[in-house]
Amino acid sequence: MKITGYRTLRTVHDWGRPVGDANGFVAGGVTEVPVLLVETDGGLTGVGLGAHAEADRIFPAVEDQDPRAVTALYDRMLAHTFKSGHGGAVFGTIGAFDMALWDLKAKMAGEPLWRTLGAADRFVPGYASGLDIALGDEELVALYTGWAERGFTGAKIKGGLDTERDILRLGAVAEVLRTNTRSPALMLDVNETWGRHQAVRLLARVESRVELSWIEEPVRRWDVAGNRAVGRAARTAVATGENLTGLEQFRPLLAGDAVQVVQTGSVWGITHFLRVATLAHGHDLPVSPVGYETNPLAHAAAAAPNHLVTEVQDTSAPVGITVDQVIADGGIVLGDAVGLGITVDEAALARLDETAGWAQPAGPHVRPSAAGLRLVAESGPAGRTGGDRTPDTVERLPRDGRTETESTP
């Protein structure tokens, strides 16, 4: 069987709530989901999810190749774009193709991908993560009550702009999860919004009142000295890595003993996750995949000996996408459908007329100019506290977390 072509599609995910982090949020709660379909001459189609802006550039590396050689094709794609292949949109596109190739490999074997990868158990432990910085207190409790009803014992909240608010919200979520455990696992993700001058001080303030399992991205992702300083001063573990691409970006952090929980982004592909997991395993460190639509790394996580826990961000799938998995018992229960178990309803996607918001100027994928440069952490515009001034209408985040729209001068 050979790879003959590809198609790109787009769908959306309606979260039913605002989603985002300290850098900004999507108030409407609708975000885009790029879909990549890789076609073969045998009639099978592989599904990859994630941004694929460089598909035209990447495809010649896999055209007419046997999809079963997926790890070799991953390196072939990197070699095909070796001057830019380990970063940004190129690496993301390689990840989408890689996901589709693994889907094809397992489909050709007639089994779910977790079987192809050698996992013995279909259950993947998870933690709840609501991308919840814009939710009010009552909305936050309602959201995590739903997670608790599905058996979750751990949760991660988004914060970093107001430590007092973060402490109260962590306590509220812990109280909800105590229906399942006496000691909930709590994580705080500040998404690189602190600077070195803040991180140790602010984390100490949180730790004085809350027991954390980890602090996520307390400083910039590549800051070995900064992450190590946080880890040395704190009781909690430092987790980072979701935005790192290529093993060469992980090596300095691991060599510098600057990370205790190694993370990988789902959008970078399955081969990348497997290699990062092996590198972390060689340093006796756990690995934790960061969530994405349909939890595509769950199959690989099930096979990783040092998998700690997988982030689960929502219980629903994007429009027109179905996935053979169940979110229950505090994790992901993978099904028996072949490949990734993802089915795409192209007719439903063709009918879409919704707009989506990850790329909006006030959204979480746009780093504010004041990030890492604030002296105080206090409630204000999500991602704009501490001096960012724009003439546009932006979403502001008052102390109680409810969103309101104001015009900045």
Side-chain angles (χ1 to χ4, degrees):
M1 187 178 295
K2 292 184 178 181
I3 298 166
T4 57
Y6 73 92
R7 289 180 292 129
T8 60
L9 303 171
R10 170 192 165 277
T11 186
V12 297
H13 187 171
D14 186 351
W15 298 78
R17 62 182 188 273
V19 288
D21 57 38
N23 299 292
F25 59 91
V26 179
V30 178
T31 58
E32 68 273 6
V33 182
V35 181
L36 178 71
L37 302 180
V38 176
E39 301 166 328
T40 67
D41 61 4
L44 293 178
T45 300
V47 180
L49 301 179
H52 43 63
E54 297 288 336
D56 286 345
R57 183 179 174 192
I58 299 298
F59 181 70
V62 299
E63 187 174 15
D64 294 328
Q65 301 296 311
D66 188 328
R68 290 173 296 185
V70 58
T71 53
L73 292 179
Y74 181 82
D75 288 322
R76 185 182 175 96
M77 287 186 284
L78 287 175
H80 193 78
T81 57
F82 83 101
K83 291 193 175 182
S84 58
H86 283 225
V90 174
F91 198 81
T93 303
I94 290 173
F97 271 104
D98 178 72
M99 195 183 300
L101 295 179
W102 277 108
D103 185 40
L104 281 169
K105 184 178 178 73
K107 285 175 176 175
M108 293 173 71
E111 60 188 8
L113 181 57
W114 60 272
R115 288 287 192 194
T116 302
L117 291 171
D121 192 339
R122 69 179 70 237
F123 179 72
V124 180
Y127 69 89
S129 177
L131 310 179
D132 49 40
I133 199 165
L135 298 185
D137 296 342
E138 292 183 2
E139 296 170 308
L140 184 78
V141 168
L143 175 65
Y144 284 98
T145 297
W147 288 112
E149 291 170 351
R150 292 177 182 262
F152 282 78
T153 58
K156 181 175 76 183
I157 74 159
K158 297 288 190 178
L161 296 178
D162 184 335
T163 49
E164 183 63 27
R165 180 174 186 257
D166 296 342
I167 290 166
L168 295 175
R169 287 159 67 84
L170 285 163
V173 171
E175 194 60 33
V176 170
L177 297 181
R178 285 195 180 98
T179 59
N180 297 328
T181 177
R182 288 178 296 177
S183 300
L186 300 174
M187 292 77 89
L188 176 63
D189 186 358
V190 301
N191 290 100
E192 304 182 59
T193 198
W194 290 345
R196 286 199 207 177
H197 63 288
Q198 290 181 307
V200 171
R201 174 171 57 89
L202 295 181
L203 179 56
R205 184 183 300 171
V206 176
E207 285 188 314
S208 69
R209 292 166 59 185
V210 179
E211 182 178 347
L212 291 176
S213 295
W214 74 58
I215 180 72
E216 187 166 328
E217 293 191 322
V219 294
R220 296 312 302 269
R221 67 197 73 165
W222 52 72
D223 186 354
V224 174
N227 279 290
R228 183 171 56 235
V230 174
R232 293 291 185 276
R235 298 193 305 269
T236 187
V238 171
T240 191
E242 67 179 277
N243 292 305
L244 299 178
T245 55
L247 296 183
E248 69 279 2
Q249 294 188 14
F250 284 85
R251 281 199 297 263
L253 286 165
L254 294 173
D257 194 22
V259 56
Q260 288 80 53
V261 178
V262 180
Q263 296 180 306
T264 57
S266 293
V267 293
W268 306 132
I270 290 166
T271 299
H272 174 67
F273 167 80
L274 292 171
R275 291 181 176 181
V276 171
T278 299
L279 180 66
H281 193 39
H283 286 78
D284 293 319
L285 292 173
V287 66
S288 177
V290 172
Y292 189 61
E293 312 289 351
T294 75
N295 307 300
L297 289 189
H299 291 263
N306 56 332
H307 171 254
L308 177 63
V309 67
T310 290
E311 179 181 32
V312 185
Q313 296 178 341
D314 201 26
T315 58
S316 64
V319 174
I321 304 289
T322 57
V323 56
D324 186 23
Q325 62 183 226
V326 176
I327 309 301
D329 302 323
I332 304 163
V333 185
L334 297 169
D336 287 316
V338 296
L340 285 166
I342 298 173
T343 303
V344 179
D345 182 348
E346 296 190 47
L349 271 57
R351 294 191 296 268
L352 277 176
D353 58 3
E354 292 186 81
T355 58
W358 275 141
Q360 68 182 33
H365 292 329
V366 180
R367 181 172 172 83
S369 61
L373 298 176
R374 305 176 182 97
L375 281 176
V376 296
E378 60 186 16
S379 285
R384 298 182 185 273
T385 301
D388 278 29
R389 312 295 290 174
T390 72
D392 302 342
T393 298
V394 299
E395 294 296 334
R396 290 191 176 274
L397 187 64
R399 181 169 296 276
D400 67 359
R402 293 171 298 177
T403 58
E404 60 185 24
T405 300
E406 298 181 358
S407 295
T408 58

